[in-house]
Amino acid sequence: MANNKRKCFTCHRENNTYTCEGCSKRFCSRHIPEHQQRLNEELHYIIHGYNEFKDRINKQKQNQHNHSLIEQINLWEINSIEKIQQKAKECRDIVIKSSETCINDIEMKFNDLYEQIKQLHKENNFNEINLKYLTNQLRKSTQELNNLSNMSIEQESESLINDISIILPKKLKLDKWKQNVITVAAGNGKGQNLNQFNGPAGIFIDKNKNIFIADCWNHRIVEWKRDANEGQIIAGENGEGDEMNELYCPGKVIIDQQNHSIIIADCENRRVIQWLNQNQEILIDDINCDGLAMDRYGFLYVSDWIKNEVTRWKMGEYYEGIVVAGGNGEGDQLDQLNSPSFIFVDEEQSVYISDQNNHRVMKWRKDAKEGRIVAGGNSQGANLNQLSQPEGIIVDDLGQIYVADCENDRIMRWCEGKEEGETIVSGNDEESQLNGPCGLSFDDEGNLYVADYHNHRIVKFEIIL
């Protein structure tokens, strides 16, 4: 649609311009075809990359029996004669079966993407977002195919005939965590002593593995240093209240590590407040705040569970927020939310939202008019395609979504586009029981931390390396 006279991005002349939906830049009628031609050239380049990748898959399928590891196994078999023939056969089978399984899996995903490319090319309806997605998918598929070469042989030399075994490469996206719980903060029952919590909700972990906890019903923010036996109150030590040095049911906390300030969703006081060197400043007032997040550009995001919206605020300019998700009343349509809680913002400023009363997680791309369901959304329940009152969310670098499925007492992992998730941590036995998991966080080693709300503690699940 032509706008009023605005400058063309290419020639910088004021004229009737047209907006490209992919890059949001404006072009005049003379230069919009040039922009489209550039996109066409980029698509052809991507198609060329996909064709080359397809050739690699076919070559590897044809040459699986010529794998260099097979040759080593054959040499070992000859040198060890009959005693190791059975072992050699087993190892060959592992190499071939593993290669076939991995390549078939990669090929299935590749064929699906290739069909998407052909459809885009046929319809001639694509933009930078589509191209970036396809480029990232090709990069990931190439990484998976390259990963096949990481298989190796491990030999044991204590006997006359060395034993061998096949060491398979680690697959992507298969992180797992030990199911036994480790209590890292509190765990001494409900209370207000320095070694106790009363309803811990949001948590934040810094690079030194110190944990910052929104101790909701004790109306305080607690810092729990690594391996400490008790915490230290860093905000709200004056108890419940609405004075500047008081808090009332803080639900979320983030640490702005650039200026060492503490930003708090002071829920019942309906404000977002910042503590810096024991000095307090109200950043946003008159807001039914619940979730907090900050992107890499320093913008602050706040969820409002009454207005059913998420707003973005520029640091230092808190007079007006921009609605980036919801804002169309309470509901379950793709442009609506129902009691949004925790939020997460990725590198591209896409906002992920725990849409609590809709029992789903929504993803809103930057400047989108509606969101997309990326977890749950199949009514409330405990099946693998359902959630029940989701709380904390984290999205990793591979786009995998981790959700604290609060009323199901489990932590789930969802891949965008999949119809169901998987349970990575659950409370199936008394020792590892979770009771209302709320906040989530990872440390730099990949260990998972959970605010175990009704057990009044912070627990850790160690990653299996």
Side-chain angles (χ1 to χ4, degrees):
M1 179 179 293
N3 298 315
N4 293 330
K5 289 189 175 181
R6 301 291 295 275
K7 284 187 177 180
C8 171
F9 180 77
T10 301
C11 63
H12 305 294
R13 295 179 179 176
E14 287 194 357
N15 206 334
N16 288 335
T17 57
Y18 303 80
T19 300
C20 171
E21 292 184 359
C23 65
S24 299
K25 296 182 176 67
R26 295 185 174 87
F27 300 90
C28 65
S29 58
R30 176 184 175 185
H31 291 106
I32 192 71
E34 294 179 4
H35 183 63
Q36 184 62 44
Q37 178 62 27
R38 185 181 63 80
L39 296 181
N40 283 328
E41 292 172 357
E42 190 170 346
L43 177 61
H44 284 297
Y45 179 79
I46 293 173
I47 292 174
H48 177 71
Y50 269 75
N51 286 330
E52 288 185 343
F53 188 79
K54 186 177 182 179
D55 291 340
R56 286 191 60 189
I57 290 180
N58 291 332
K59 288 180 181 178
Q60 291 216 16
K61 289 176 67 176
Q62 295 170 3
N63 298 320
Q64 291 176 46
H65 290 272
N66 294 327
H67 199 291
S68 61
L69 295 183
I70 300 296
E71 295 178 4
Q72 294 182 46
I73 292 168
N74 289 338
L75 178 60
W76 177 87
E77 181 183 16
I78 293 171
N79 292 337
S80 304
I81 316 175
E82 295 180 355
K83 292 184 180 181
I84 50 84
Q85 287 183 342
Q86 183 60 36
K87 184 71 173 182
K89 181 179 182 301
E90 293 173 358
C91 291
R92 282 194 296 269
D93 290 344
I94 292 174
V95 172
I96 295 171
K97 185 176 181 180
S98 176
S99 296
E100 288 178 346
T101 301
C102 292
I103 290 176
N104 288 339
D105 181 62
I106 294 171
E107 187 178 30
M108 286 179 61
K109 291 187 288 186
F110 170 79
N111 287 337
D112 181 62
L113 291 168
Y114 197 70
E115 288 299 318
Q116 293 182 42
I117 287 184
K118 291 196 295 185
Q119 188 67 24
L120 286 174
H121 191 235
K122 178 180 178 181
E123 296 177 355
N124 196 29
N125 182 19
F126 53 90
N127 56 40
E128 284 87 348
I129 296 174
N130 304 124
L131 301 182
K132 184 174 183 180
Y133 168 77
L134 292 171
T135 301
N136 287 338
Q137 293 305 310
L138 178 59
R139 176 181 57 79
K140 291 179 181 178
S141 296
T142 302
Q143 188 176 3
E144 290 182 354
L145 191 62
N146 292 338
N147 203 34
L148 291 178
S149 63
N150 292 336
M151 287 191 292
S152 60
I153 290 178
E154 183 179 88
Q155 298 191 33
E156 298 178 3
S157 57
E158 294 187 2
S159 60
L160 179 62
I161 299 175
N162 294 340
D163 193 11
I164 65 172
S165 59
I166 299 299
I167 301 174
L168 298 175
K170 292 183 178 179
K171 289 186 177 181
L172 297 175
K173 307 178 183 179
L174 287 180
D175 286 342
K176 294 184 178 180
W177 289 264
K178 297 178 182 178
Q179 296 298 297
N180 57 305
V181 67
I182 301 173
T183 300
V184 293
N188 299 295
K190 178 172 71 173
Q192 57 184 0
N193 295 324
L194 291 179
N195 66 346
Q196 294 178 307
F197 296 135
N198 186 358
I203 56 175
F204 182 95
I205 299 178
D206 68 12
K207 59 184 179 181
N208 297 317
K209 296 185 176 62
N210 300 320
I211 310 170
F212 298 81
I213 305 104
D215 189 9
C216 183
W217 296 104
N218 280 327
H219 314 292
R220 64 191 184 186
I221 305 298
V222 176
E223 179 183 5
W224 199 288
K225 294 188 179 297
R226 183 178 181 180
D227 299 326
N229 294 319
E230 62 180 29
Q232 174 186 356
I233 301 172
I234 58 173
E237 62 184 346
N238 296 298
E240 173 188 336
D242 59 3
E243 299 296 328
M244 289 292 289
N245 62 352
E246 296 174 325
L247 299 172
Y248 187 9
C249 294
K252 311 295 183 295
V253 58
I254 56 177
I255 307 300
D256 185 349
Q257 299 187 76
Q258 290 187 345
N259 60 17
H260 307 288
S261 68
I262 309 162
I263 301 175
I264 306 162
D266 192 10
C267 298
E268 292 299 320
N269 281 327
R270 302 181 65 249
R271 65 189 183 187
V272 176
I273 190 168
Q274 177 178 257
W275 289 54
L276 177 61
N277 298 325
Q278 293 304 310
N279 295 316
Q280 301 85 33
E281 177 187 1
I282 296 176
L283 301 182
I284 309 170
D285 204 1
D286 192 27
I287 183 171
N288 296 287
C289 53
D290 195 346
L292 285 181
M294 184 177 292
D295 67 19
R296 62 175 178 168
Y297 302 104
F299 288 98
L300 185 65
Y301 297 73
V302 186
S303 62
D304 188 317
W305 63 279
I306 295 295
K307 291 183 178 179
N308 295 295
E309 65 184 22
V310 177
T311 49
R312 181 178 68 224
W313 304 75
K314 186 175 182 180
M315 295 293 284
E317 299 179 10
Y318 293 103
Y319 47 84
E320 184 178 6
I322 298 173
V323 176
V324 294
N328 297 299
E330 177 184 313
D332 61 2
Q333 301 302 307
L334 293 180
D335 64 347
Q336 294 178 308
L337 300 169
N338 189 351
S339 193
S341 179
F342 282 79
I343 49 180
F344 181 92
V345 184
D346 68 13
E347 292 293 304
E348 297 176 349
Q349 292 182 298
S350 293
V351 183
Y352 296 77
I353 307 143
S354 283
D355 193 10
Q356 263 197 340
N357 290 342
N358 282 326
H359 312 289
R360 65 189 185 183
V361 175
M362 299 292 292
K363 176 183 179 180
W364 287 62
R365 294 187 179 276
K366 185 181 179 184
D367 300 326
K369 300 301 181 184
E370 62 180 31
R372 177 181 178 184
I373 301 172
V374 292
N378 296 296
S379 73
Q380 184 175 14
N383 295 324
L384 290 179
N385 68 341
Q386 294 177 306
L387 296 170
S388 182
Q389 294 288 316
E391 292 277 3
I393 48 175
I394 301 174
V395 182
D396 66 17
D397 293 338
L398 297 174
Q400 299 176 125
I401 305 150
Y402 297 81
V403 187
D405 191 10
C406 183
E407 292 194 355
N408 285 323
D409 300 320
R410 64 187 181 184
I411 310 300
M412 298 192 71
R413 173 169 56 195
W414 293 68
C415 295
E416 186 174 347
K418 298 293 184 180
E419 293 183 358
E420 61 181 35
E422 60 176 322
T423 301
I424 61 169
V425 171
S426 64
N428 293 327
D429 56 73
E430 292 184 1
E431 182 181 358
S432 62
Q433 183 70 41
L434 292 174
N435 192 354
C438 198
L440 290 182
S441 188
F442 287 107
D443 64 21
D444 55 8
E445 296 176 355
N447 300 309
L448 174 63
Y449 294 74
V450 183
D452 196 7
Y453 185 85
H454 292 298
N455 282 328
H456 311 290
R457 62 182 181 175
I458 309 300
V459 298
K460 178 175 77 171
F461 295 92
E462 293 183 333
I463 192 170
I464 300 174
L465 300 176

